[in-house]
Amino acid sequence: MAVAHGSRDPRAAATVEALLEEVRRARPGLPVRSAYLDHSAPSLGQALHGLTEAVVLPLLLTEAYHSRVDLPAALNEARARDPRLRVHYGATLGPHPLLTSTLERRLAEAGVPPGDPDTAVVLVSAGSSDARANAVIAGMARAWELGAGPAAPPGWAGGRAGAAVPPAAGPAPAEAVALLRRAGAPRVAVAPYLLAPGYFADKVRRDTLAAGADVVAGVLGPAPELAQVALERYEAALLTSADAAAS
């Protein structure tokens, strides 16, 4: 049971379903279903109805409020309605080295080869009210700079439920692009660490291009690397005791 955030933008759900098709192709015969925390159907409770056991995987890129609070609460409600239900709760998709590989894939598709010495990259995350999640993204940006060419500190597109990210989290994506331009970067690319198209992705593209970005890569989307990560999280969750991590 793969659980995504959900969006009013129909492109988001279509992207999630395309990613799950990648999972099905990689593991024929594995029953794969989707659920959403908000805006899209089915809800997690609806999707779990009638099942006696499931592996629930958060299709989220960092461990933050949704994976620590919202999902466990929804699972507790589902178990209260059906005490027979046993759930193995998986880890979020990120952080994972294959997500960095997916970012590099999307940049290459946009014309930026990995490690291009003439291109500075702004890693853009939706951000979180959870400082631990923001620290994970900042760590990803630092590690990427060491391994794949120049990278700027991450830019933050927004926070949980659209709230503003605390100023300590870092600059907005357009501000990060402008900083690089003022520092003399010959070329600036933007790598959205976002699962699917929608409000944030559109805003990132619009604002960063207006600020002087040369290239804005696509969102992570239904990449085979993400399908592989999902299957790794599934296998690891099967080894945990049912309900232990979701209560």
PDB file of all heavy atoms in Angstrom, residues 190-229:
ATOM      1  N   VAL A 190      18.446  24.095 -11.844  1.00  0.00           N
ATOM      2  CA  VAL A 190      17.593  23.824 -10.690  1.00  0.00           C
ATOM      3  C   VAL A 190      17.153  22.367 -10.748  1.00  0.00           C
ATOM      4  O   VAL A 190      16.661  21.894 -11.783  1.00  0.00           O
ATOM      5  CB  VAL A 190      16.370  24.764 -10.670  1.00  0.00           C
ATOM      6  CG1 VAL A 190      15.411  24.384  -9.549  1.00  0.00           C
ATOM      7  CG2 VAL A 190      16.828  26.211 -10.525  1.00  0.00           C
ATOM      8  N   ALA A 191      17.358  21.650  -9.647  1.00  0.00           N
ATOM      9  CA  ALA A 191      16.971  20.236  -9.546  1.00  0.00           C
ATOM     10  C   ALA A 191      15.859  20.105  -8.506  1.00  0.00           C
ATOM     11  O   ALA A 191      16.123  20.151  -7.301  1.00  0.00           O
ATOM     12  CB  ALA A 191      18.172  19.385  -9.149  1.00  0.00           C
ATOM     13  N   PRO A 192      14.595  19.960  -8.918  1.00  0.00           N
ATOM     14  CA  PRO A 192      13.507  19.842  -7.949  1.00  0.00           C
ATOM     15  C   PRO A 192      13.487  18.460  -7.284  1.00  0.00           C
ATOM     16  O   PRO A 192      13.347  17.431  -7.959  1.00  0.00           O
ATOM     17  CB  PRO A 192      12.240  20.043  -8.793  1.00  0.00           C
ATOM     18  CG  PRO A 192      12.715  20.638 -10.093  1.00  0.00           C
ATOM     19  CD  PRO A 192      14.090  20.072 -10.292  1.00  0.00           C
ATOM     20  N   TYR A 193      13.633  18.455  -5.980  1.00  0.00           N
ATOM     21  CA  TYR A 193      13.503  17.223  -5.192  1.00  0.00           C
ATOM     22  C   TYR A 193      12.030  17.098  -4.809  1.00  0.00           C
ATOM     23  O   TYR A 193      11.629  17.212  -3.657  1.00  0.00           O
ATOM     24  CB  TYR A 193      14.411  17.305  -3.968  1.00  0.00           C
ATOM     25  CG  TYR A 193      14.515  16.042  -3.152  1.00  0.00           C
ATOM     26  CD1 TYR A 193      15.062  14.886  -3.681  1.00  0.00           C
ATOM     27  CD2 TYR A 193      14.108  16.021  -1.823  1.00  0.00           C
ATOM     28  CE1 TYR A 193      15.174  13.738  -2.927  1.00  0.00           C
ATOM     29  CE2 TYR A 193      14.223  14.881  -1.049  1.00  0.00           C
ATOM     30  CZ  TYR A 193      14.751  13.737  -1.605  1.00  0.00           C
ATOM     31  OH  TYR A 193      14.868  12.592  -0.838  1.00  0.00           O
ATOM     32  N   LEU A 194      11.220  16.890  -5.831  1.00  0.00           N
ATOM     33  CA  LEU A 194       9.776  16.804  -5.702  1.00  0.00           C
ATOM     34  C   LEU A 194       9.318  15.562  -6.452  1.00  0.00           C
ATOM     35  O   LEU A 194       9.820  15.273  -7.541  1.00  0.00           O
ATOM     36  CB  LEU A 194       9.102  18.042  -6.295  1.00  0.00           C
ATOM     37  CG  LEU A 194       9.520  19.395  -5.700  1.00  0.00           C
ATOM     38  CD1 LEU A 194       8.961  20.541  -6.543  1.00  0.00           C
ATOM     39  CD2 LEU A 194       9.038  19.523  -4.255  1.00  0.00           C
ATOM     40  N   LEU A 195       8.370  14.848  -5.884  1.00  0.00           N
ATOM     41  CA  LEU A 195       7.952  13.591  -6.493  1.00  0.00           C
ATOM     42  C   LEU A 195       7.151  13.799  -7.766  1.00  0.00           C
ATOM     43  O   LEU A 195       7.340  13.080  -8.757  1.00  0.00           O
ATOM     44  CB  LEU A 195       7.124  12.781  -5.489  1.00  0.00           C
ATOM     45  CG  LEU A 195       6.628  11.418  -5.974  1.00  0.00           C
ATOM     46  CD1 LEU A 195       7.794  10.492  -6.305  1.00  0.00           C
ATOM     47  CD2 LEU A 195       5.714  10.777  -4.924  1.00  0.00           C
ATOM     48  N   ALA A 196       6.268  14.794  -7.769  1.00  0.00           N
ATOM     49  CA  ALA A 196       5.297  14.897  -8.859  1.00  0.00           C
ATOM     50  C   ALA A 196       5.042  16.355  -9.223  1.00  0.00           C
ATOM     51  O   ALA A 196       5.322  17.266  -8.442  1.00  0.00           O
ATOM     52  CB  ALA A 196       3.978  14.232  -8.438  1.00  0.00           C
ATOM     53  N   PRO A 197       4.499  16.589 -10.412  1.00  0.00           N
ATOM     54  CA  PRO A 197       4.107  17.954 -10.789  1.00  0.00           C
ATOM     55  C   PRO A 197       2.991  18.467  -9.887  1.00  0.00           C
ATOM     56  O   PRO A 197       2.266  17.696  -9.257  1.00  0.00           O
ATOM     57  CB  PRO A 197       3.611  17.808 -12.233  1.00  0.00           C
ATOM     58  CG  PRO A 197       3.933  16.433 -12.654  1.00  0.00           C
ATOM     59  CD  PRO A 197       4.157  15.611 -11.436  1.00  0.00           C
ATOM     60  N   GLY A 198       2.848  19.771  -9.846  1.00  0.00           N
ATOM     61  CA  GLY A 198       1.801  20.377  -9.042  1.00  0.00           C
ATOM     62  C   GLY A 198       2.151  21.820  -8.738  1.00  0.00           C
ATOM     63  O   GLY A 198       2.997  22.429  -9.402  1.00  0.00           O
ATOM     64  N   TYR A 199       1.513  22.363  -7.720  1.00  0.00           N
ATOM     65  CA  TYR A 199       1.679  23.777  -7.384  1.00  0.00           C
ATOM     66  C   TYR A 199       3.136  24.141  -7.128  1.00  0.00           C
ATOM     67  O   TYR A 199       3.660  25.118  -7.679  1.00  0.00           O
ATOM     68  CB  TYR A 199       0.824  24.107  -6.161  1.00  0.00           C
ATOM     69  CG  TYR A 199       1.087  25.488  -5.609  1.00  0.00           C
ATOM     70  CD1 TYR A 199       0.521  26.616  -6.202  1.00  0.00           C
ATOM     71  CD2 TYR A 199       1.907  25.664  -4.493  1.00  0.00           C
ATOM     72  CE1 TYR A 199       0.779  27.887  -5.707  1.00  0.00           C
ATOM     73  CE2 TYR A 199       2.169  26.928  -3.994  1.00  0.00           C
ATOM     74  CZ  TYR A 199       1.603  28.030  -4.599  1.00  0.00           C
ATOM     75  OH  TYR A 199       1.872  29.284  -4.109  1.00  0.00           O
ATOM     76  N   PHE A 200       3.813  23.369  -6.255  1.00  0.00           N
ATOM     77  CA  PHE A 200       5.191  23.699  -5.904  1.00  0.00           C
ATOM     78  C   PHE A 200       6.108  23.605  -7.117  1.00  0.00           C
ATOM     79  O   PHE A 200       6.946  24.476  -7.356  1.00  0.00           O
ATOM     80  CB  PHE A 200       5.703  22.777  -4.796  1.00  0.00           C
ATOM     81  CG  PHE A 200       5.224  23.151  -3.417  1.00  0.00           C
ATOM     82  CD1 PHE A 200       4.961  22.167  -2.483  1.00  0.00           C
ATOM     83  CD2 PHE A 200       5.041  24.476  -3.058  1.00  0.00           C
ATOM     84  CE1 PHE A 200       4.520  22.501  -1.212  1.00  0.00           C
ATOM     85  CE2 PHE A 200       4.603  24.825  -1.787  1.00  0.00           C
ATOM     86  CZ  PHE A 200       4.343  23.831  -0.857  1.00  0.00           C
ATOM     87  N   ALA A 201       5.976  22.535  -7.884  1.00  0.00           N
ATOM     88  CA  ALA A 201       6.852  22.364  -9.050  1.00  0.00           C
ATOM     89  C   ALA A 201       6.657  23.490 -10.053  1.00  0.00           C
ATOM     90  O   ALA A 201       7.630  24.014 -10.618  1.00  0.00           O
ATOM     91  CB  ALA A 201       6.588  21.008  -9.701  1.00  0.00           C
ATOM     92  N   ASP A 202       5.409  23.866 -10.290  1.00  0.00           N
ATOM     93  CA  ASP A 202       5.138  24.964 -11.230  1.00  0.00           C
ATOM     94  C   ASP A 202       5.721  26.278 -10.720  1.00  0.00           C
ATOM     95  O   ASP A 202       6.297  27.060 -11.484  1.00  0.00           O
ATOM     96  CB  ASP A 202       3.635  25.119 -11.441  1.00  0.00           C
ATOM     97  CG  ASP A 202       3.036  23.979 -12.256  1.00  0.00           C
ATOM     98  OD1 ASP A 202       3.806  23.190 -12.843  1.00  0.00           O
ATOM     99  OD2 ASP A 202       1.794  23.874 -12.294  1.00  0.00           O
ATOM    100  N   LYS A 203       5.582  26.531  -9.419  1.00  0.00           N
ATOM    101  CA  LYS A 203       6.093  27.772  -8.835  1.00  0.00           C
ATOM    102  C   LYS A 203       7.616  27.798  -8.897  1.00  0.00           C
ATOM    103  O   LYS A 203       8.218  28.839  -9.204  1.00  0.00           O
ATOM    104  CB  LYS A 203       5.614  27.905  -7.392  1.00  0.00           C
ATOM    105  CG  LYS A 203       6.109  29.170  -6.688  1.00  0.00           C
ATOM    106  CD  LYS A 203       5.470  29.317  -5.323  1.00  0.00           C
ATOM    107  CE  LYS A 203       6.091  30.464  -4.535  1.00  0.00           C
ATOM    108  NZ  LYS A 203       6.057  31.742  -5.277  1.00  0.00           N
ATOM    109  N   VAL A 204       8.245  26.669  -8.606  1.00  0.00           N
ATOM    110  CA  VAL A 204       9.710  26.598  -8.671  1.00  0.00           C
ATOM    111  C   VAL A 204      10.185  26.929 -10.083  1.00  0.00           C
ATOM    112  O   VAL A 204      11.115  27.734 -10.278  1.00  0.00           O
ATOM    113  CB  VAL A 204      10.202  25.201  -8.239  1.00  0.00           C
ATOM    114  CG1 VAL A 204      11.656  24.988  -8.642  1.00  0.00           C
ATOM    115  CG2 VAL A 204      10.037  25.028  -6.729  1.00  0.00           C
ATOM    116  N   ARG A 205       9.575  26.329 -11.081  1.00  0.00           N
ATOM    117  CA  ARG A 205       9.986  26.584 -12.468  1.00  0.00           C
ATOM    118  C   ARG A 205       9.795  28.057 -12.830  1.00  0.00           C
ATOM    119  O   ARG A 205      10.706  28.692 -13.368  1.00  0.00           O
ATOM    120  CB  ARG A 205       9.195  25.687 -13.426  1.00  0.00           C
ATOM    121  CG  ARG A 205       9.456  25.983 -14.906  1.00  0.00           C
ATOM    122  CD  ARG A 205       8.795  24.948 -15.792  1.00  0.00           C
ATOM    123  NE  ARG A 205       9.441  23.657 -15.654  1.00  0.00           N
ATOM    124  CZ  ARG A 205      10.537  23.297 -16.312  1.00  0.00           C
ATOM    125  NH1 ARG A 205      11.121  24.138 -17.158  1.00  0.00           N
ATOM    126  NH2 ARG A 205      11.053  22.112 -16.126  1.00  0.00           N
ATOM    127  N   ARG A 206       8.643  28.577 -12.528  1.00  0.00           N
ATOM    128  CA  ARG A 206       8.340  29.962 -12.894  1.00  0.00           C
ATOM    129  C   ARG A 206       9.283  30.942 -12.184  1.00  0.00           C
ATOM    130  O   ARG A 206       9.885  31.822 -12.811  1.00  0.00           O
ATOM    131  CB  ARG A 206       6.888  30.264 -12.529  1.00  0.00           C
ATOM    132  CG  ARG A 206       6.418  31.665 -12.885  1.00  0.00           C
ATOM    133  CD  ARG A 206       4.936  31.815 -12.592  1.00  0.00           C
ATOM    134  NE  ARG A 206       4.606  31.642 -11.173  1.00  0.00           N
ATOM    135  CZ  ARG A 206       3.959  30.596 -10.674  1.00  0.00           C
ATOM    136  NH1 ARG A 206       3.564  29.606 -11.463  1.00  0.00           N
ATOM    137  NH2 ARG A 206       3.688  30.526  -9.377  1.00  0.00           N
ATOM    138  N   ASP A 207       9.444  30.771 -10.883  1.00  0.00           N
ATOM    139  CA  ASP A 207      10.225  31.736 -10.107  1.00  0.00           C
ATOM    140  C   ASP A 207      11.713  31.652 -10.400  1.00  0.00           C
ATOM    141  O   ASP A 207      12.403  32.685 -10.466  1.00  0.00           O
ATOM    142  CB  ASP A 207       9.983  31.511  -8.610  1.00  0.00           C
ATOM    143  CG  ASP A 207       8.574  31.884  -8.171  1.00  0.00           C
ATOM    144  OD1 ASP A 207       7.812  32.417  -9.010  1.00  0.00           O
ATOM    145  OD2 ASP A 207       8.234  31.630  -7.000  1.00  0.00           O
ATOM    146  N   THR A 208      12.230  30.443 -10.551  1.00  0.00           N
ATOM    147  CA  THR A 208      13.679  30.327 -10.765  1.00  0.00           C
ATOM    148  C   THR A 208      14.082  30.757 -12.171  1.00  0.00           C
ATOM    149  O   THR A 208      15.149  31.346 -12.352  1.00  0.00           O
ATOM    150  CB  THR A 208      14.172  28.895 -10.481  1.00  0.00           C
ATOM    151  OG1 THR A 208      13.439  27.958 -11.289  1.00  0.00           O
ATOM    152  CG2 THR A 208      14.015  28.543  -9.010  1.00  0.00           C
ATOM    153  N   LEU A 209      13.252  30.485 -13.162  1.00  0.00           N
ATOM    154  CA  LEU A 209      13.553  30.977 -14.509  1.00  0.00           C
ATOM    155  C   LEU A 209      13.542  32.503 -14.527  1.00  0.00           C
ATOM    156  O   LEU A 209      14.403  33.143 -15.149  1.00  0.00           O
ATOM    157  CB  LEU A 209      12.565  30.414 -15.523  1.00  0.00           C
ATOM    158  CG  LEU A 209      12.727  28.929 -15.865  1.00  0.00           C
ATOM    159  CD1 LEU A 209      11.585  28.461 -16.758  1.00  0.00           C
ATOM    160  CD2 LEU A 209      14.072  28.655 -16.533  1.00  0.00           C
ATOM    161  N   ALA A 210      12.577  33.088 -13.813  1.00  0.00           N
ATOM    162  CA  ALA A 210      12.517  34.545 -13.744  1.00  0.00           C
ATOM    163  C   ALA A 210      13.728  35.125 -13.019  1.00  0.00           C
ATOM    164  O   ALA A 210      14.158  36.251 -13.308  1.00  0.00           O
ATOM    165  CB  ALA A 210      11.230  34.977 -13.040  1.00  0.00           C
ATOM    166  N   ALA A 211      14.309  34.346 -12.096  1.00  0.00           N
ATOM    167  CA  ALA A 211      15.470  34.813 -11.338  1.00  0.00           C
ATOM    168  C   ALA A 211      16.782  34.601 -12.082  1.00  0.00           C
ATOM    169  O   ALA A 211      17.827  35.015 -11.594  1.00  0.00           O
ATOM    170  CB  ALA A 211      15.526  34.111  -9.989  1.00  0.00           C
ATOM    171  N   GLY A 212      16.727  33.930 -13.239  1.00  0.00           N
ATOM    172  CA  GLY A 212      17.934  33.764 -14.032  1.00  0.00           C
ATOM    173  C   GLY A 212      18.455  32.355 -14.179  1.00  0.00           C
ATOM    174  O   GLY A 212      19.554  32.161 -14.713  1.00  0.00           O
ATOM    175  N   ALA A 213      17.693  31.351 -13.740  1.00  0.00           N
ATOM    176  CA  ALA A 213      18.130  29.975 -13.946  1.00  0.00           C
ATOM    177  C   ALA A 213      18.162  29.656 -15.437  1.00  0.00           C
ATOM    178  O   ALA A 213      17.292  30.091 -16.194  1.00  0.00           O
ATOM    179  CB  ALA A 213      17.198  29.001 -13.227  1.00  0.00           C
ATOM    180  N   ASP A 214      19.168  28.915 -15.849  1.00  0.00           N
ATOM    181  CA  ASP A 214      19.268  28.503 -17.246  1.00  0.00           C
ATOM    182  C   ASP A 214      18.458  27.248 -17.530  1.00  0.00           C
ATOM    183  O   ASP A 214      17.930  27.070 -18.632  1.00  0.00           O
ATOM    184  CB  ASP A 214      20.731  28.235 -17.601  1.00  0.00           C
ATOM    185  CG  ASP A 214      21.591  29.476 -17.456  1.00  0.00           C
ATOM    186  OD1 ASP A 214      21.550  30.334 -18.350  1.00  0.00           O
ATOM    187  OD2 ASP A 214      22.286  29.585 -16.422  1.00  0.00           O
ATOM    188  N   VAL A 215      18.384  26.357 -16.549  1.00  0.00           N
ATOM    189  CA  VAL A 215      17.750  25.055 -16.728  1.00  0.00           C
ATOM    190  C   VAL A 215      16.973  24.713 -15.467  1.00  0.00           C
ATOM    191  O   VAL A 215      17.472  24.908 -14.348  1.00  0.00           O
ATOM    192  CB  VAL A 215      18.807  23.946 -16.973  1.00  0.00           C
ATOM    193  CG1 VAL A 215      18.146  22.573 -17.005  1.00  0.00           C
ATOM    194  CG2 VAL A 215      19.570  24.204 -18.259  1.00  0.00           C
ATOM    195  N   VAL A 216      15.754  24.209 -15.633  1.00  0.00           N
ATOM    196  CA  VAL A 216      14.997  23.641 -14.526  1.00  0.00           C
ATOM    197  C   VAL A 216      14.648  22.210 -14.921  1.00  0.00           C
ATOM    198  O   VAL A 216      13.918  21.985 -15.897  1.00  0.00           O
ATOM    199  CB  VAL A 216      13.719  24.436 -14.218  1.00  0.00           C
ATOM    200  CG1 VAL A 216      12.966  23.791 -13.052  1.00  0.00           C
ATOM    201  CG2 VAL A 216      14.045  25.887 -13.900  1.00  0.00           C
ATOM    202  N   ALA A 217      15.205  21.257 -14.193  1.00  0.00           N
ATOM    203  CA  ALA A 217      14.959  19.849 -14.510  1.00  0.00           C
ATOM    204  C   ALA A 217      13.533  19.455 -14.140  1.00  0.00           C
ATOM    205  O   ALA A 217      12.830  20.167 -13.409  1.00  0.00           O
ATOM    206  CB  ALA A 217      15.960  18.964 -13.773  1.00  0.00           C
ATOM    207  N   GLY A 218      13.120  18.309 -14.633  1.00  0.00           N
ATOM    208  CA  GLY A 218      11.813  17.785 -14.274  1.00  0.00           C
ATOM    209  C   GLY A 218      11.793  17.226 -12.862  1.00  0.00           C
ATOM    210  O   GLY A 218      12.837  17.003 -12.238  1.00  0.00           O
ATOM    211  N   VAL A 219      10.598  16.986 -12.350  1.00  0.00           N
ATOM    212  CA  VAL A 219      10.448  16.355 -11.039  1.00  0.00           C
ATOM    213  C   VAL A 219      10.932  14.910 -11.114  1.00  0.00           C
ATOM    214  O   VAL A 219      11.169  14.367 -12.199  1.00  0.00           O
ATOM    215  CB  VAL A 219       8.988  16.409 -10.574  1.00  0.00           C
ATOM    216  CG1 VAL A 219       8.534  17.846 -10.381  1.00  0.00           C
ATOM    217  CG2 VAL A 219       8.065  15.683 -11.559  1.00  0.00           C
ATOM    218  N   LEU A 220      11.078  14.271  -9.968  1.00  0.00           N
ATOM    219  CA  LEU A 220      11.586  12.897  -9.935  1.00  0.00           C
ATOM    220  C   LEU A 220      10.702  11.958 -10.752  1.00  0.00           C
ATOM    221  O   LEU A 220      11.192  11.174 -11.567  1.00  0.00           O
ATOM    222  CB  LEU A 220      11.688  12.414  -8.489  1.00  0.00           C
ATOM    223  CG  LEU A 220      12.646  13.208  -7.592  1.00  0.00           C
ATOM    224  CD1 LEU A 220      12.564  12.694  -6.158  1.00  0.00           C
ATOM    225  CD2 LEU A 220      14.066  13.143  -8.102  1.00  0.00           C
ATOM    226  N   GLY A 221       9.399  12.006 -10.514  1.00  0.00           N
ATOM    227  CA  GLY A 221       8.459  11.265 -11.346  1.00  0.00           C
ATOM    228  C   GLY A 221       8.609   9.755 -11.271  1.00  0.00           C
ATOM    229  O   GLY A 221       9.225   9.204 -10.355  1.00  0.00           O
ATOM    230  N   PRO A 222       8.062   9.042 -12.270  1.00  0.00           N
ATOM    231  CA  PRO A 222       8.047   7.575 -12.247  1.00  0.00           C
ATOM    232  C   PRO A 222       9.360   6.969 -12.747  1.00  0.00           C
ATOM    233  O   PRO A 222       9.381   6.195 -13.701  1.00  0.00           O
ATOM    234  CB  PRO A 222       6.872   7.240 -13.166  1.00  0.00           C
ATOM    235  CG  PRO A 222       6.855   8.352 -14.158  1.00  0.00           C
ATOM    236  CD  PRO A 222       7.276   9.594 -13.391  1.00  0.00           C
ATOM    237  N   ALA A 223      10.452   7.334 -12.109  1.00  0.00           N
ATOM    238  CA  ALA A 223      11.760   6.830 -12.524  1.00  0.00           C
ATOM    239  C   ALA A 223      11.963   5.400 -12.024  1.00  0.00           C
ATOM    240  O   ALA A 223      11.480   5.041 -10.940  1.00  0.00           O
ATOM    241  CB  ALA A 223      12.867   7.727 -11.978  1.00  0.00           C
ATOM    242  N   PRO A 224      12.691   4.569 -12.772  1.00  0.00           N
ATOM    243  CA  PRO A 224      12.948   3.202 -12.308  1.00  0.00           C
ATOM    244  C   PRO A 224      13.715   3.165 -10.999  1.00  0.00           C
ATOM    245  O   PRO A 224      13.551   2.233 -10.208  1.00  0.00           O
ATOM    246  CB  PRO A 224      13.746   2.570 -13.454  1.00  0.00           C
ATOM    247  CG  PRO A 224      14.237   3.708 -14.285  1.00  0.00           C
ATOM    248  CD  PRO A 224      13.248   4.819 -14.118  1.00  0.00           C
ATOM    249  N   GLU A 225      14.547   4.182 -10.738  1.00  0.00           N
ATOM    250  CA  GLU A 225      15.274   4.216  -9.469  1.00  0.00           C
ATOM    251  C   GLU A 225      14.310   4.308  -8.288  1.00  0.00           C
ATOM    252  O   GLU A 225      14.525   3.675  -7.249  1.00  0.00           O
ATOM    253  CB  GLU A 225      16.234   5.406  -9.439  1.00  0.00           C
ATOM    254  CG  GLU A 225      17.374   5.330 -10.437  1.00  0.00           C
ATOM    255  CD  GLU A 225      17.052   5.982 -11.769  1.00  0.00           C
ATOM    256  OE1 GLU A 225      15.852   6.212 -12.063  1.00  0.00           O
ATOM    257  OE2 GLU A 225      18.009   6.270 -12.519  1.00  0.00           O
ATOM    258  N   LEU A 226      13.252   5.108  -8.446  1.00  0.00           N
ATOM    259  CA  LEU A 226      12.281   5.235  -7.354  1.00  0.00           C
ATOM    260  C   LEU A 226      11.526   3.930  -7.130  1.00  0.00           C
ATOM    261  O   LEU A 226      11.218   3.568  -5.994  1.00  0.00           O
ATOM    262  CB  LEU A 226      11.296   6.370  -7.644  1.00  0.00           C
ATOM    263  CG  LEU A 226      11.663   7.726  -7.030  1.00  0.00           C
ATOM    264  CD1 LEU A 226      12.895   8.300  -7.714  1.00  0.00           C
ATOM    265  CD2 LEU A 226      10.496   8.705  -7.114  1.00  0.00           C
ATOM    266  N   ALA A 227      11.226   3.227  -8.224  1.00  0.00           N
ATOM    267  CA  ALA A 227      10.576   1.922  -8.079  1.00  0.00           C
ATOM    268  C   ALA A 227      11.469   0.960  -7.320  1.00  0.00           C
ATOM    269  O   ALA A 227      11.001   0.188  -6.468  1.00  0.00           O
ATOM    270  CB  ALA A 227      10.226   1.360  -9.454  1.00  0.00           C
ATOM    271  N   GLN A 228      12.769   1.003  -7.587  1.00  0.00           N
ATOM    272  CA  GLN A 228      13.703   0.130  -6.878  1.00  0.00           C
ATOM    273  C   GLN A 228      13.759   0.477  -5.397  1.00  0.00           C
ATOM    274  O   GLN A 228      13.785  -0.413  -4.534  1.00  0.00           O
ATOM    275  CB  GLN A 228      15.098   0.244  -7.492  1.00  0.00           C
ATOM    276  CG  GLN A 228      16.121  -0.708  -6.867  1.00  0.00           C
ATOM    277  CD  GLN A 228      17.470  -0.648  -7.566  1.00  0.00           C
ATOM    278  OE1 GLN A 228      17.568  -0.244  -8.728  1.00  0.00           O
ATOM    279  NE2 GLN A 228      18.501  -1.052  -6.861  1.00  0.00           N
ATOM    280  N   VAL A 229      13.764   1.785  -5.087  1.00  0.00           N
ATOM    281  CA  VAL A 229      13.761   2.193  -3.684  1.00  0.00           C
ATOM    282  C   VAL A 229      12.490   1.704  -2.992  1.00  0.00           C
ATOM    283  O   VAL A 229      12.542   1.184  -1.862  1.00  0.00           O
ATOM    284  CB  VAL A 229      13.878   3.720  -3.555  1.00  0.00           C
ATOM    285  CG1 VAL A 229      13.717   4.151  -2.096  1.00  0.00           C
ATOM    286  CG2 VAL A 229      15.221   4.199  -4.089  1.00  0.00           C
TER     287      VAL A 229
END
